[in-house]
Amino acid sequence: MIKVDSLSYSYPQKELYNKVSFELEDGQHCAFIGRSGSGKSTLMDIIMNPEEYMFDGKLDMDPNCRIGYVNQFSKLDETKETTVFEYIGQEYIKLQNEITSICAEMETSPDIDILLEKYQKALDAFDAIGGNDYESKINNKLNLSDLVRHKDLKVSELSGGEFKLVQVIKEMLTCPDLIIMDEPDAFLDFENLISLEKLINSHKGTMLIITHNRYLLNHCFNKIVHLENMEIQEFDGRYIDYNFSLLQSKIEMQELAFADDQEMLRNEIMIDKLRDIATYNSDASKGKSLIARIKIQKRLEKSRTNAPFVDIKQPEISLDVDNEIEDSIVLKVDNYCAAFDEELLSDVNFEIRANDKVALIGPNGSGKTTLMRDIFKNESDSIEMNSDVEIAYLSQLQGEILDESNTIVDEFFDAGFETVSEIKSHLYGYGFDKDLSRHIGSLSGGEKNILQLAKFSHSKANLLLLDEPTSHLDTYTQMALENALEEYGGAAIMISHDYYSIANCMDYVLVIEDKHIRKMGMKKFRKMIYSNHFDKDYLHREQNKRTLEKKIAMALKDSDFENAKLLCEELEKLIESL
């Protein structure tokens, strides 16, 4: 289907790929993963529009290959007055109308040969996209994604998540040779995410999908393409097995690197001794020994174990608090209501204490962001804030927090930093260790969210409001954020549809149902999610897996490789059961 061979490409200020290669075969469902800003979306665009890029290497693909595409930032077109059914069936209806028009013209036109040729072309195009029984196909896909009840709604009446699913259905139904999707899961609530999973798994054709969503990664793909440090690695199989293979490689590589370090240390001690001797002994043989040892050290440094896919720098997210509040109520919401064209929330009541980590969940369009913004503004009579509260807000609309016309360094001068050196030191841990003169508007969605986190963490606030913080973030940054939230000393409210982030670092959940909010403990939340979507033992095995992974990380930190290997064998057995 696709063969990328030794492809290299760079921007004027950034090299993206260095002779990368991979193949995608017919029928494969491939997840394309890698750190934010590594160039995944650009490589997708090169595949779709190779003539627009000056790259080195080869890209082999059938020139007649039909590609369907779902954009990362596709927005609901508010001017659309077509129904959902008409929007999905646009190509079918257009060709069907053309065929009908040609048939009507043939009844009166004397130039029948030209019309017959046009008729055959239109008929061939209709057949090529699977036009036979297209109405039934649309209904089947809408039913599979639990959207059949919306088929007669106007497109403009859909939520953003529902519209994303409709776009996926539209691309699938025209029977392209290849479907490319760029983070189709962004901002989907859990029910819509399950619908996306069903759609992906029901599709028989070839798919190449950028995603950082751990649920989709674990349930939808039989091939992994991993872009890291300008290189690509392929893996045929499940994401969970790929991750395990990386962990095995990490143990092996770290053990080799440790041995390299020990050998280099021993050699360095010998060099220092020979240098000391050379200061009072003019024996030529001692000088030759010193030169030989220095050459050995250079060879050791050059050949030191390099592992671009296992030695991945995880952001160092630190969420500190300047003014810790004793265990008391920091936020009280009493009889809160919200409405636009219609009522979103009614009679909402809850309290947040000084160290509570709370997830706010509910369907797309249920009023979560509206409530979060009103808490941030603190202008409603229904919202009472502790006088010692200092708020930091992370928005899913990145332009609310970041000035996209700013350079990175200017943004942080505006945030109160005084020197470039101070900015560089702060941003280094977040992976921005090179060109800080780039404009924020040129960054990827994931890079903008990481930059928001870097700005957010500098505030040292005692109440964090996070609206979809994991959207567009790579899995390494997601896990770093989870660890930072676990250790955070203040209160946090997080809107999220990412089950893993909620389960890993939140204390309880506020659930929006029927315009009201109810509190749910984590045990009940996990049970609710798993009873609907997993077998009954999955929760226990998943928790054990995370515990083992943490133990392996601690063993590697202590260079206890034998223990890490034993724990890895235990983890392998557990993964087989998943």
Side-chain angles (χ1 to χ4, degrees):
M1 175 62 69
I2 297 175
K3 185 176 181 180
V4 175
D5 186 18
S6 298
L7 188 146
S8 297
Y9 179 73
S10 62
Y11 291 130
Q13 295 175 318
K14 185 177 182 181
E15 187 176 3
L16 288 181
Y17 326 117
N18 182 24
K19 295 184 178 180
V20 300
S21 302
F22 71 92
E23 293 184 14
L24 188 60
E25 297 177 3
D26 286 343
Q28 284 186 317
H29 287 184
C30 177
F32 191 14
I33 65 172
R35 280 190 298 172
S36 300
S38 58
K40 299 182 298 297
S41 296
T42 301
L43 188 51
M44 292 277 209
D45 201 46
I46 289 173
I47 290 171
M48 291 187 293
N49 305 290
E51 68 284 348
E52 295 180 12
Y53 291 85
M54 295 290 290
F55 59 85
D56 294 326
K58 291 183 180 180
L59 171 61
D60 291 334
M61 187 168 60
D62 186 335
N64 297 315
C65 177
R66 294 176 57 252
I67 299 177
Y69 178 58
V70 178
N71 193 298
Q72 177 181 4
F73 297 111
S74 55
K75 294 180 181 179
L76 184 61
D77 187 344
E78 298 294 344
T79 65
K80 286 284 183 186
E81 288 305 313
T82 55
T83 66
V84 169
F85 186 90
E86 290 166 342
Y87 179 78
I88 294 171
Q90 210 166 33
E91 287 298 310
Y92 300 107
I93 294 167
K94 179 183 174 183
L95 285 169
Q96 200 172 49
N97 289 341
E98 185 180 341
I99 290 167
T100 302
S101 175
I102 293 169
C103 288
E105 199 175 344
M106 285 169 64
E107 292 179 5
T108 58
S109 175
D111 202 353
I112 197 72
D113 290 340
I114 293 175
L115 289 173
L116 278 172
E117 187 177 342
K118 286 174 65 178
Y119 174 79
Q120 191 58 52
K121 281 184 179 178
L123 200 60
D124 289 344
F126 191 67
D127 290 339
I129 62 172
N132 292 330
D133 200 23
Y134 77 88
E135 293 161 325
S136 175
K137 290 175 183 175
I138 292 175
N139 285 327
N140 287 340
K141 290 292 186 186
L142 287 171
N143 191 55
L144 180 66
S145 56
D146 198 29
L147 291 176
V148 71
R149 65 191 185 282
H150 294 334
K151 75 173 186 176
D152 295 322
L153 284 181
K154 296 285 190 287
V155 170
S156 56
E157 296 178 86
L158 297 176
S159 71
E162 290 166 341
F163 180 61
K164 180 71 78 172
L165 293 177
V166 165
Q167 286 183 298
V168 172
I169 291 170
K170 183 178 181 180
E171 294 303 323
M172 285 182 171
L173 283 174
T174 55
C175 304
D177 301 301
L178 169 67
I179 291 182
I180 289 178
M181 294 197 249
D182 194 348
E183 296 194 41
D185 49 272
F187 307 121
L188 292 189
D189 62 40
F190 199 73
E191 293 306 318
N192 283 336
L193 188 68
I194 297 298
S195 294
L196 178 59
E197 176 212 353
K198 291 177 182 175
L199 288 170
I200 291 172
N201 288 335
S202 71
H203 187 69
K204 304 302 181 187
T206 310
M207 307 185 86
L208 180 60
I209 300 176
I210 295 176
T211 182
H212 305 300
N213 186 280
R214 284 167 282 182
Y215 179 82
L216 291 183
L217 284 169
N218 285 327
H219 293 87
C220 295
F221 301 100
N222 54 20
K223 183 181 179 74
I224 309 296
V225 169
H226 187 175
L227 173 62
E228 206 70 52
N229 300 320
M230 298 185 293
E231 298 183 29
I232 271 182
Q233 180 166 273
E234 295 179 84
F235 182 85
D236 289 322
R238 302 184 304 166
Y239 175 74
I240 194 170
D241 296 320
Y242 174 64
N243 254 354
F244 180 69
S245 74
L246 282 186
L247 183 58
Q248 287 178 309
S249 297
K250 183 172 185 175
I251 294 170
E252 179 184 340
M253 294 292 186
Q254 198 162 318
E255 188 173 18
L256 288 171
F258 182 78
D260 288 345
D261 288 343
Q262 295 299 104
E263 180 62 25
M264 288 170 69
L265 180 61
R266 285 191 293 270
N267 201 57
E268 189 64 42
I269 291 169
M270 185 63 70
I271 289 170
D272 289 342
K273 284 181 179 179
L274 289 168
R275 279 196 177 120
D276 288 341
I277 293 170
T279 59
Y280 58 82
N281 190 330
S282 59
D283 186 345
S285 64
K286 299 298 182 184
K288 289 179 180 177
S289 295
L290 175 59
I291 293 169
R293 282 288 171 182
I294 291 172
K295 286 182 177 178
I296 290 170
Q297 191 74 342
K298 286 181 179 178
R299 278 203 307 272
L300 287 170
E301 287 173 357
K302 190 174 181 180
S303 65
R304 191 179 186 280
T305 302
N306 179 31
F309 295 97
V310 297
D311 187 20
I312 298 166
K313 184 181 176 185
Q314 191 176 77
E316 299 166 4
I317 298 173
S318 177
L319 300 174
D320 299 323
V321 180
D322 262 350
N323 178 26
E324 286 197 25
I325 301 175
E326 296 298 324
D327 187 21
S328 61
I329 295 171
V330 295
L331 171 67
K332 184 175 182 180
V333 177
D334 184 27
N335 195 28
Y336 170 86
C337 300
F340 288 109
D341 294 335
E342 59 182 41
E343 189 174 55
L344 288 174
L345 294 168
S346 175
D347 193 24
V348 168
N349 301 277
F350 63 87
E351 296 176 345
I352 305 292
R353 301 192 72 83
N355 300 111
D356 287 351
K357 313 292 192 306
V358 184
L360 178 60
I361 67 171
N364 291 131
S366 59
K368 302 182 296 297
T369 295
T370 301
L371 172 57
M372 186 81 91
R373 284 201 180 112
D374 281 348
I375 292 171
F376 178 58
K377 292 175 184 175
N378 193 21
E379 296 173 351
S380 169
D381 293 338
S382 299
I383 296 171
E384 183 181 340
M385 199 83 68
N386 187 307
S387 60
D388 292 325
V389 163
E390 298 166 9
I391 299 178
Y393 178 48
L394 185 147
S395 174
Q396 64 169 280
L397 300 175
Q398 297 155 334
E400 288 187 331
I401 305 300
L402 303 172
D403 183 346
E404 299 204 352
S405 66
N406 263 347
T407 63
I408 296 171
V409 72
D410 287 342
E411 184 73 16
F412 281 80
F413 274 131
D414 292 348
F417 286 80
E418 295 183 356
T419 67
V420 173
S421 177
E422 187 186 359
I423 294 170
K424 283 183 176 179
S425 176
H426 180 69
L427 292 181
Y428 179 80
Y430 291 84
F432 291 92
D433 54 355
K434 293 182 181 176
D435 184 13
L436 301 185
S437 64
R438 286 185 293 163
H439 281 83
I440 290 171
S442 70
L443 303 179
S444 71
E447 286 177 308
K448 289 175 187 175
N449 253 18
I450 294 171
L451 210 59
Q452 273 203 93
L453 286 170
K455 189 174 177 181
F456 186 81
S457 66
H458 176 64
S459 68
K460 298 186 178 180
N462 49 28
L463 174 59
L464 306 181
L465 305 179
L466 304 100
D467 192 352
E468 298 279 9
T470 60
S471 289
H472 307 301
L473 291 186
D474 60 72
T475 52
Y476 307 105
T477 309
Q478 289 175 32
M479 290 185 281
L481 176 59
E482 289 165 14
N483 292 335
L485 284 169
E486 278 187 291
E487 296 170 7
Y488 175 61
I493 306 173
M494 180 175 76
I495 296 174
S496 181
H497 301 300
D498 184 337
Y499 162 73
Y500 293 90
S501 291
I502 294 172
N504 290 341
C505 59
M506 295 288 105
D507 297 324
Y508 61 89
V509 176
L510 295 174
V511 186
I512 297 178
E513 291 177 337
D514 299 323
K515 302 177 184 178
H516 294 78
I517 282 182
R518 68 184 178 97
K519 183 177 177 179
M520 181 184 290
M522 288 308 304
K523 186 175 180 180
K524 189 172 182 180
F525 170 74
R526 289 189 185 102
K527 187 175 180 181
M528 176 186 76
I529 294 294
Y530 280 115
S531 64
N532 290 339
H533 306 293
F534 304 99
D535 66 72
K536 64 180 181 180
D537 296 324
Y538 188 91
L539 171 61
H540 180 67
R541 296 197 299 271
E542 184 69 31
Q543 291 295 95
N544 284 347
K545 176 176 173 286
R546 190 164 186 256
T547 301
L548 280 170
E549 287 169 342
K550 284 188 171 183
K551 286 181 178 179
I552 292 169
M554 288 302 297
L556 289 175
K557 189 176 181 181
D558 296 334
S559 299
D560 186 356
F561 302 112
E562 290 307 313
N563 187 32
K565 290 174 187 176
L566 289 172
L567 290 167
C568 202
E569 289 175 7
E570 192 176 339
L571 179 61
E572 184 174 21
K573 292 176 184 176
L574 183 61
I575 286 172
E576 287 173 0
S577 70
L578 289 165

